[in-house]
Amino acid sequence: FPFPYTPYPIQEQFMEALYGALEAGRVGIFESPTGTGKSLSLICGALSWLRDWEEKRRQEEARLLALGTSGQDGLSPQQARPSSADAAGEPDWVTAFVQKKEERDMVDRLKEEQIRRKKQEDHLEKIRHNVQLKYAAKRKRCEEDEAKRLLQLSKEALSQGAGEGVLDPLDHNEEELIPAEYESDDEKKVVAGLEDDDDDLEEEHVTKIYYCSRTHSQLSQFVREVQKSPFGKDTRLVSLGSRQNLCVNEEVRRLGALQLINDRCMEMQKNKHEKKSDEENEGKKRRVSRTVCPFYSYEQMQFLRDEVLVEVKDIEQLVSLGRETKACPYYGSRFAIPAAQLVVLPYQMLLHEPTRNAAGIKLKDQVVIIDEAHNLIDTITCIHSAEVSGSQLCCAHSQLLQYMERYRKRLKAKNLMYIKQILYLLERFVAVLGGNVNQNPGCQAVSQTGTVLKSINDFLFQSQIDNINLFKVQRYCEKSLISRKLFGFVERYTSPASAVRTNKENQKLAGLQNFLLSLQQGSHKEGDPPVEAEHDHLRAASPLMHIEGFLSALTNANQDGRVILNRQGTVGQSSLKFLLLNPAVHFAKVVEECRAVIIAGGTMQPVADFREQLLCCAGVDPARVVEFSCGHVIPPENILPIILCSGPSNQQLEFTYQTRDLPQMMDETGRILCNLCNVIPGGVVCFFPSYEYEKQVYGHWEKTGLLSRLAAKKKIFQEPKKANQVEQVLVEYAKCIKRCSQTGGQMTGALLLSVVGGKMSEGINFSDELGRCVIMVGMPYPNIKSPELQEKMTWLDKTMPPAAGQAPSRVLIENLCMKAVNQSIGRAIRHQKDFASILLLDHRYARPATFNKLPQWIRERTQVKPAFGAAFAELRKVRTCILCVA
């Protein structure tokens, strides 16, 4: 395998296993701990396979073409004996003729394919080496921009003095707030400029690898690894992203919220298509000109596509190129998909079918690699779930009602019909939560609080909306962009700058303005005062957009969907949530269509979840599933995992819901930490099962004086609940450790109290001095009283067979707990020369079923210590080693 340096043996094993899985068309679960060069192994293993596969295909094509040309002068139909017939009753000469025709057709098809491929390769090669071509394209763009500017100036000069037309009551901006006449059966998908170039529309998708990960920063990191790899120069790679990340139109970017950016972009495209028909009908009633996006130019996007295919670029480079070439990176990158060999994209784009189809992603016979996949099941569940609050429902109803009243005379019949249907749906949703849409949701108390789960049909029936076609309503929302129009209307009449022209209008809209104001004030009565950013969020996200998401989830649901009615103190605090119980239904299509699927991650244990809940339920044959797990690159002595069964005063460590609140358990935890902080230099990270328990223990230590004893050795930091404060705490924590290591003295470093499943248990590295010891207090089981979890457990027990004598629901709880543990303890070792100790404080970790769910590289080196003394002696040895190294 080509590699930028000599690979570790485990990297070679990983690449061989990956190559084998791709060649055999398997579904692979691959685990390679962080710090073992997983990204490079994935790149070099997968791209080596693709290169070899392309070569094999070229050789096969050449063989068939050679056969085809030599066999052109074969048997003619007349030469065959007309008397003989085959088993199906067809004469031999007919069979031979059909066979010959099929062979000729295939040869012709291969020739065409070769010509097309050669043409494209030559084109890209030309761009790669011909700088003049780039300058010519750039000059042409400048000329076109200048021509457009002059044309606009001429039009403005001509229009001066002309009347504004008969429809005076609405001004220029308000015209855009009214939806165009809606045709529900109009399913034409026209893209401006594509009519002339049908060849490109039908461009064949070459065999490719789709690589997806969770965040844009992870994807950018992966692209940088590709650039450094031996494949960096020759691979046609395209990075896909959301409009939020790729849009270069500042006017649209300023909208902030993803849904608003999406809607505005779609609207501008629609305006571009309508512009043509408006120009044709110019003799008729003059329409007000609508904004179109200057970056949505087919020619420029084709140029961007070619540039993307010629050289590997990450998202940031793609956006810079888009600005420079005045072409849309969002659509330009999509045009590059068919010819690309490696497509890098976020989870949602691949796992959500409507998004996948809209992006032009075709999975048939392709390879998919899903990285950072430890949360894949939860991710699929979240992508297909949606929640709306009572205050959002009431707010959307009030806004839409005001909108309908304002433009009633101008709305076409079908628009009016669908708006009335949406209003009725909103009214019924609020009624189900026990409220009334015409009253302030913040002031309406809910009589029956609690959480109820319903099947989709029961929910529709109870809401009395089973007589409405939700599919048509959802399609109307999508096509008419009504939420975007509504947002524009609300922005216009609730912003302080809005100038409302007549007293009559003032009276009409005062209700809406006051209502929105009361909503915003009502939502901040309790708790912290609102932060500035929260006001922006309230203004940016239109409530109807959230409700469209909920409708979409309802219409995409099957029998495994549930609706959770969560009734809290007031209607405003209550909510409706769609919950997906079986994520496999959405994953089934991916594994069915793809040639091979690789699910990879640093910590994939326990893998039973993936096998049973995802692959088995998606109908994957168990024989097609292959598992690979490799060790770590660190020497065995660099990690010391210990399961501690009792503390310094021989108190057995068992942090169940019943025992963990006992003062003696909290005291014992404090004593363990005090002892460890005395001997472990640098940073110590201690994970608690929840924020509440961490707070409780901290308060108890404060009272007993344990906290001041700890603070004498290590400065204590607590994980903040707010995401925007995490960075600051981490910076201070790192500074403190560095300062202590440089100055020496009594203070030896810092202690960070974190929470499992919190901001610091995933995606944050505690490498080197930042994490010389990671401690896990108890076993972080999920809250089994949660109605969502209970429903999932019931569903699993009904649909899945028991595993090793355990009910599927019990296995789920165990797996959720151990997955969270593995994610947290994996934070400590991040590279080959790193070292750390890991302490699991609970005797239940030693149970074989639980012990076997630890990652293999940790499990192999774990020691079970019944007493604290023996564990402490081991930790002192590590400290001696550290001092020797230092």
Side-chain angles (χ1 to χ4, degrees):
F1 294 97
F3 216 73
Y5 52 82
T6 307
Y8 302 124
I10 58 167
Q11 286 180 311
E12 285 181 336
Q13 292 160 20
F14 185 100
M15 289 187 284
E16 277 166 24
L18 177 64
Y19 192 102
L22 298 181
E23 186 64 25
R26 300 293 192 87
V27 174
I29 302 171
F30 278 64
E31 182 179 53
S32 176
T34 310
T36 56
K38 171 168 55 78
S39 296
L40 261 178
S41 304
L42 279 170
I43 291 163
C44 296
L47 289 175
S48 292
W49 171 83
L50 186 64
R51 185 194 57 193
D52 293 354
W53 192 88
E54 284 174 348
E55 185 53 42
K56 266 188 260 179
R57 194 175 163 193
R58 270 195 290 272
Q59 286 171 3
E60 183 62 15
E61 276 179 12
R63 190 181 67 79
L64 287 169
L65 283 170
L67 272 177
T69 43
S70 64
Q72 290 292 325
D73 311 317
L75 223 105
S76 69
Q78 288 80 13
Q79 287 170 307
R81 281 177 307 178
S83 55
S84 62
D86 66 3
E90 292 281 4
D92 277 354
W93 68 269
V94 173
T95 313
F97 180 73
V98 169
Q99 203 176 336
K100 278 278 177 217
K101 187 173 184 322
E102 282 174 1
E103 280 174 16
R104 274 199 305 275
D105 288 350
M106 190 175 71
V107 168
D108 291 345
R109 203 164 51 246
L110 285 174
K111 278 182 181 170
E112 278 174 31
E113 220 172 89
Q114 267 196 342
I115 292 164
R116 192 160 58 223
R117 201 163 49 233
K118 183 84 176 76
K119 198 172 157 187
Q120 190 184 36
E121 282 168 9
D122 291 348
H123 176 61
L124 291 176
E125 201 55 35
K126 202 160 114 189
I127 291 170
R128 191 177 274 122
H129 298 296
N130 194 341
V131 183
Q132 274 184 313
L133 204 68
K134 289 186 186 183
Y135 283 124
K138 206 168 184 178
R139 193 172 64 247
K140 193 176 174 200
R141 276 198 308 279
C142 296
E143 285 168 6
E144 281 172 1
D145 288 350
E146 185 61 18
K148 272 183 198 165
R149 195 178 67 80
L150 292 170
L151 186 67
Q152 189 59 36
L153 285 171
S154 312
K155 279 183 181 172
E156 282 169 13
L158 283 171
S159 62
Q160 275 174 2
E164 278 301 307
V166 283
L167 278 177
D168 195 46
L170 293 187
D171 68 15
H172 169 88
N173 293 337
E174 247 184 310
E175 187 78 39
E176 291 197 12
L177 299 179
I178 299 166
E181 187 161 2
Y182 180 67
E183 290 294 335
S184 53
D185 300 322
D186 176 24
E187 297 203 2
K188 283 184 193 167
K189 289 182 180 172
V190 184
V191 179
L194 289 188
E195 299 89 334
D196 320 324
D197 215 334
D198 286 332
D199 289 349
D200 284 349
L201 257 183
E202 294 304 316
E203 197 177 343
E204 184 212 3
H205 281 241
V206 302
T207 300
K208 60 177 76 7
I209 295 163
Y210 287 100
Y211 170 90
C212 57
S213 194
R214 280 186 320 148
T215 63
H216 281 287
S217 60
Q218 284 167 342
L219 293 171
S220 287
Q221 199 177 330
F222 178 81
V223 174
R224 285 193 289 276
E225 292 282 350
V226 175
Q227 287 168 334
K228 284 188 285 184
S229 80
F231 297 91
K233 292 274 182 285
D234 310 320
T235 303
R236 297 192 300 277
L237 178 147
V238 57
S239 296
L240 301 181
S242 63
R243 285 182 177 89
Q244 206 166 21
N245 290 89
L246 289 175
C247 179
V248 286
N249 185 330
E250 285 308 319
E251 180 210 325
V252 178
R253 281 175 71 87
R254 273 199 295 272
L255 292 167
L258 177 62
Q259 188 65 51
L260 291 176
I261 291 174
N262 285 345
D263 280 4
R264 182 66 179 140
C265 175
M266 299 291 283
E267 190 178 42
M268 282 175 147
Q269 277 182 63
K270 207 172 169 187
N271 293 345
K272 184 153 190 157
H273 307 327
E274 282 173 4
K275 206 174 175 186
K276 287 192 172 179
S277 55
D278 283 350
E279 281 166 10
E280 286 159 18
N281 305 334
E282 213 163 330
K284 299 176 189 174
K285 183 177 71 174
R286 220 174 130 258
R287 292 283 307 225
V288 177
S289 67
R290 292 164 179 255
T291 320
V292 296
C293 183
F295 296 92
Y296 192 76
S297 146
Y298 181 67
E299 198 179 335
Q300 292 313 120
M301 290 190 294
Q302 287 286 59
F303 177 75
L304 183 98
R305 176 197 72 173
D306 294 342
E307 284 287 305
V308 165
L309 291 172
V310 160
E311 190 184 8
V312 173
K313 291 176 177 61
D314 64 16
I315 293 277
E316 289 75 23
Q317 292 165 325
L318 188 58
V319 169
S320 302
L321 181 67
R323 287 201 175 102
E324 186 193 319
T325 57
K326 289 198 165 52
C328 174
Y330 179 74
Y331 284 103
S333 58
R334 288 178 175 207
F335 287 155
I337 294 173
Q341 293 165 309
L342 180 57
V343 178
V344 178
L345 69 168
Y347 272 3
Q348 287 82 343
M349 222 174 236
L350 185 104
L351 298 171
H352 188 242
E353 197 180 352
T355 311
R356 194 163 70 227
N357 294 340
I361 293 166
K362 293 180 181 174
L363 296 181
K364 188 82 182 118
D365 298 329
Q366 307 292 22
V367 170
V368 162
I369 297 175
I370 302 171
D371 200 1
E372 300 297 331
H374 54 272
N375 279 339
L376 182 60
I377 295 172
D378 293 342
T379 304
I380 299 172
T381 305
C382 287
I383 289 171
H384 297 92
S385 298
E387 186 169 17
V388 284
S389 68
S391 72
Q392 283 172 335
L393 291 164
C394 288
C395 185
H397 185 276
S398 173
Q399 289 179 3
L400 197 56
L401 194 63
Q402 300 279 353
Y403 175 87
M404 187 179 78
E405 290 303 320
R406 168 84 176 116
Y407 302 120
R408 182 185 283 274
K409 288 175 185 164
R410 292 173 167 269
L411 291 167
K412 300 281 188 268
K414 252 190 181 164
N415 279 315
L416 204 54
M417 177 190 84
Y418 277 112
I419 288 171
K420 283 182 174 174
Q421 283 191 352
I422 297 168
L423 286 168
Y424 177 71
L425 285 176
L426 295 171
E427 196 180 307
R428 295 313 310 157
F429 287 160
V430 173
V432 159
L433 291 173
N436 184 327
V437 282
N438 299 317
Q439 293 171 23
N440 189 329
C443 305
Q444 290 182 71
V446 174
S447 51
Q448 290 178 309
T449 55
T451 305
V452 185
L453 274 108
K454 301 266 177 201
S455 70
I456 306 291
N457 285 342
D458 288 350
F459 170 71
L460 298 179
F461 191 72
Q462 190 187 334
S463 311
Q464 297 170 14
I465 57 170
D466 48 329
N467 58 336
I468 285 184
N469 186 329
L470 291 182
F471 290 90
K472 283 192 170 181
V473 173
Q474 196 254 331
R475 185 167 168 74
Y476 170 75
C477 292
E478 201 179 292
K479 293 290 172 188
S480 67
L481 299 174
I482 184 67
S483 57
R484 165 75 209 164
K485 311 282 181 192
L486 185 62
F487 176 78
F489 167 72
V490 173
E491 279 283 279
R492 182 177 174 79
Y493 287 112
T494 54
S495 64
S498 63
V500 184
R501 285 172 298 188
T502 64
N503 285 334
K504 201 173 180 187
E505 277 183 9
N506 248 330
Q507 287 160 12
K508 266 189 189 178
L509 292 157
L512 170 63
Q513 288 170 332
N514 294 337
F515 179 78
L516 283 172
L517 209 62
S518 68
L519 253 186
Q520 288 182 14
Q521 288 165 351
S523 63
H524 294 302
K525 275 178 187 168
E526 297 167 37
D528 303 333
V531 188
E532 201 62 40
E534 288 177 60
H535 274 314
D536 292 345
H537 177 69
L538 263 169
R539 198 168 57 245
S542 159
L544 190 59
M545 290 175 185
H546 288 287
I547 292 144
E548 279 182 26
F550 181 67
L551 280 179
S552 178
L554 280 183
T555 51
N556 286 327
N558 65 350
Q559 69 272 26
D560 298 326
R562 299 284 182 275
V563 177
I564 301 169
L565 281 68
N566 185 15
R567 299 188 182 103
Q568 294 303 321
T570 66
V571 171
Q573 292 165 338
S574 303
S575 67
L576 295 173
K577 182 177 181 180
F578 172 78
L579 174 70
L580 176 72
L581 294 175
N582 181 12
V585 293
H586 294 287
F587 196 60
K589 203 154 188 185
V590 175
V591 285
E592 266 168 40
E593 290 190 349
C594 288
R595 175 200 171 87
V597 176
I598 304 295
I599 302 167
T603 311
M604 299 299 283
Q605 286 290 346
V607 292
D609 274 6
F610 296 103
R611 259 202 327 267
E612 283 140 33
Q613 278 188 55
L614 202 57
L615 304 178
C616 222
C617 290
V620 178
D621 179 356
R624 195 185 165 198
V625 180
V626 59
E627 284 177 32
F628 174 85
S629 179
C630 65
H632 213 294
V633 289
I634 55 162
E637 63 273 11
N638 279 30
I639 181 171
L640 175 64
I642 293 175
I643 293 171
L644 190 58
C645 301
S646 58
S649 62
N650 289 328
Q651 167 74 47
Q652 190 189 39
L653 299 176
E654 186 175 353
F655 293 85
T656 61
Y657 282 114
Q658 292 77 32
T659 60
R660 70 182 194 180
D661 297 341
L662 298 171
Q664 59 264 39
M665 286 302 285
M666 294 191 274
D667 288 339
E668 197 73 337
T669 309
R671 281 193 283 270
I672 292 168
L673 276 175
C674 277
N675 279 299
L676 295 181
C677 289
N678 280 333
V679 296
I680 293 170
V684 175
V685 184
C686 181
F687 284 102
F688 288 88
S690 66
Y691 283 104
E692 290 68 35
Y693 188 57
E694 187 263 334
K695 200 174 170 185
Q696 188 184 344
V697 171
Y698 190 88
H700 179 77
W701 289 346
E702 255 182 336
K703 281 184 206 156
T704 58
L706 254 166
L707 200 67
S708 51
R709 276 170 59 197
L710 272 173
K713 278 288 174 189
K714 305 269 185 201
K715 185 169 181 187
I716 299 168
F717 292 88
Q718 286 174 283
E719 178 176 325
K721 264 193 172 180
K722 288 185 179 170
N724 58 355
Q725 296 168 1
V726 171
E727 192 60 38
Q728 185 57 39
V729 171
L730 280 172
V731 167
E732 292 299 321
Y733 172 72
K735 270 186 190 168
C736 175
I737 291 167
K738 194 175 178 185
R739 201 167 49 241
C740 293
S741 70
Q742 286 169 349
T743 54
Q746 193 188 359
M747 190 79 86
T748 61
L751 169 65
L752 178 61
L753 305 178
S754 300
V755 175
V756 175
K759 314 287 179 298
M760 293 181 183
S761 65
E762 268 194 50
I764 288 170
N765 298 340
F766 293 110
S767 59
D768 301 319
E769 289 294 313
L770 296 182
R772 286 295 177 220
C773 181
V774 173
I775 300 160
M776 179 65 62
V777 177
M779 296 186 74
Y781 284 110
N783 176 15
I784 53 168
K785 289 180 181 165
S786 143
E788 294 178 35
L789 190 56
Q790 283 184 341
E791 188 68 16
K792 176 95 178 179
M793 287 162 72
T794 310
W795 179 82
L796 280 173
D797 286 342
K798 272 185 199 165
T799 55
M800 306 279 287
Q806 269 195 317
S809 55
R810 183 68 221 161
V811 174
L812 172 76
I813 297 299
E814 282 283 333
N815 287 350
L816 286 171
C817 167
M818 289 310 291
K819 206 159 263 187
V821 169
N822 294 341
Q823 271 306 303
S824 302
I825 62 179
R827 304 288 99 210
I829 302 284
R830 309 310 281 181
H831 59 84
Q832 192 188 8
K833 292 180 180 167
D834 207 351
F835 55 88
S837 42
I838 294 168
L839 247 79
L840 304 173
L841 307 187
D842 201 306
H843 76 95
R844 292 174 294 170
Y845 282 110
R847 295 180 307 201
T850 307
F851 184 77
N852 288 332
K853 286 176 180 169
L854 286 167
Q856 186 189 339
W857 64 279
I858 291 179
R859 190 171 66 233
E860 286 168 349
R861 304 164 194 192
T862 302
Q863 303 176 24
V864 179
K865 300 289 181 186
F868 181 73
F872 193 60
E874 288 292 333
L875 288 161
R876 289 185 79 95
K877 274 189 217 166
V878 173
R879 190 205 179 192
T880 316
C881 294
I882 293 169
L883 291 174
C884 294
V885 171

